[in-house]
Amino acid sequence: MSRIDAKFAELRAAGKKAFVAYVMAGDTDYDKGLAVMKGLPEAGVDIIELGLPFTDPMADGTTIQLAGQRALEAGQDLQKTLAYARAFRETDQTTPIVLMGYYNPIYSRGVDRFLAEAVDAGIDGLIIVDLPPEEDAELCIPANKAGINFIRLATPTTDDKRLPKVLQNTSGFVYYVSVTGITGTAAAQTAEVAPEVARIKTQTDLPVIVGFGIRTPEAAQAIAEIADGAVVGSAIVEKIGNAESTQEVLAFVKSLADGTHKG
């Protein structure tokens, strides 16, 4: 059982939904970013999505693009991002870490080398937004064989014909993107999201987590009431960019986690 599977089993037993927090590795510098990451579990985060900065983040809105630029300018790269996971695992062996990003840095490093290093670093899952199911042989299937969950995105445009293809090699959980477009541009609408989550659940036993467009504790709670959990990214990243202290960031994260856990 992976850490992700174990976390969802623990949450189900407690009657709770999952709160997933996205942070960009190296934002705004290596030490500050790592301090935030290490504080997330105590703030109520169940699963950490760790962003891998990339020069051409096509699915990301302005907030996360700027975070990626800050990280890259501070010298963050794939090697340092894996070092984040290793440092985190020195004190936390249970909280799942999902690496989220784009394929180019992984391809450049070499898939076999990357997977070996990711397993060693304690990475539990991958969300690689620019690898469609037709390219599963590139990374998805090797990752699953290595014991790393490959988490796929479903969107409002994923129709019934496409959905089985999206789900075929997915593991860990399904990430439902609640809005069409890039991150941080629109609010998730529960009336629109609920039937889509229900539709996905008829096709898979995996948990369905909803992200994009969730910025407040109230919104997180509303989404958690219709799905297996909520992801917040842009709102947290924005807080990291503007906050005066790590404590301020983590207090905001805790409010989001508390909202989700009420769902």
Side-chain angles (χ1 to χ4, degrees):
M1 179 181 287
S2 70
R3 287 190 186 95
I4 294 173
D5 295 334
K7 177 57 68 174
F8 279 109
E10 173 191 325
L11 290 166
R12 281 193 297 270
K16 295 170 66 175
K17 301 299 180 69
F19 178 61
V20 183
Y22 172 97
V23 293
M24 177 68 72
D27 182 24
T28 54
D29 60 51
Y30 186 92
D31 292 333
K32 180 179 178 181
L34 184 56
V36 170
M37 183 182 177
K38 286 186 172 183
L40 293 176
E42 189 173 344
V45 173
D46 299 301
I47 298 172
I48 297 170
E49 278 185 19
L50 182 62
L52 174 61
F54 182 54
T55 53
D56 189 23
M58 63 183 184
D60 296 322
T62 301
T63 297
I64 292 179
Q65 284 188 27
L66 289 173
Q69 289 175 12
R70 291 192 297 263
L72 290 169
E73 288 169 2
Q76 193 72 17
D77 57 15
L78 177 55
Q79 183 171 334
K80 289 183 177 180
T81 300
L82 292 173
Y84 259 46
R86 290 191 186 92
F88 182 85
R89 289 286 174 233
E90 291 173 1
T91 56
D92 188 316
Q93 285 292 324
T94 58
T95 303
I97 302 172
V98 175
L99 188 66
M100 185 171 186
Y102 299 85
Y103 184 45
N104 183 273
I106 295 170
Y107 176 81
S108 297
R109 199 168 191 84
V111 168
D112 291 343
R113 177 185 176 188
F114 164 74
L115 289 175
E117 291 175 340
V119 169
D120 180 69
I123 298 294
D124 303 292
L126 298 174
I127 301 175
I128 307 300
V129 298
D130 56 345
L131 273 183
E134 288 75 15
E135 305 296 334
D136 275 358
E138 283 282 329
L139 181 61
C140 173
I141 292 172
N144 284 332
K145 287 181 179 178
I148 295 178
N149 292 132
F150 199 90
I151 296 147
R152 190 78 71 189
L153 303 176
T155 75
T157 61
T158 306
D159 59 20
D160 288 337
K161 182 178 180 180
R162 181 65 173 169
L163 185 58
K165 186 75 172 176
V166 168
L167 296 174
Q168 66 182 1
N169 290 311
T170 299
S171 60
F173 60 89
V174 179
Y175 187 136
Y176 180 70
V177 176
S178 65
V179 298
T180 302
I182 56 177
T183 59
T185 56
Q189 302 297 322
T190 55
E192 298 172 3
V193 172
E196 293 299 303
V197 170
R199 180 171 67 92
I200 294 168
K201 281 182 163 294
T202 67
Q203 302 295 319
T204 182
D205 293 328
L206 292 171
V208 180
I209 307 300
V210 175
F212 285 48
I214 304 168
R215 301 186 63 86
T216 67
E218 294 76 17
Q221 180 178 350
I223 289 296
E225 288 172 353
I226 60 171
D228 296 303
V231 184
V232 178
S234 293
I236 295 173
V237 170
E238 189 174 276
K239 181 67 72 172
I240 290 170
N242 297 329
E244 294 183 359
S245 68
T246 299
Q247 290 72 23
E248 184 180 343
V249 173
L250 295 175
F252 176 63
V253 171
K254 186 177 187 303
S255 73
L256 295 164
D258 289 346
T260 303
H261 293 148
K262 291 177 183 176

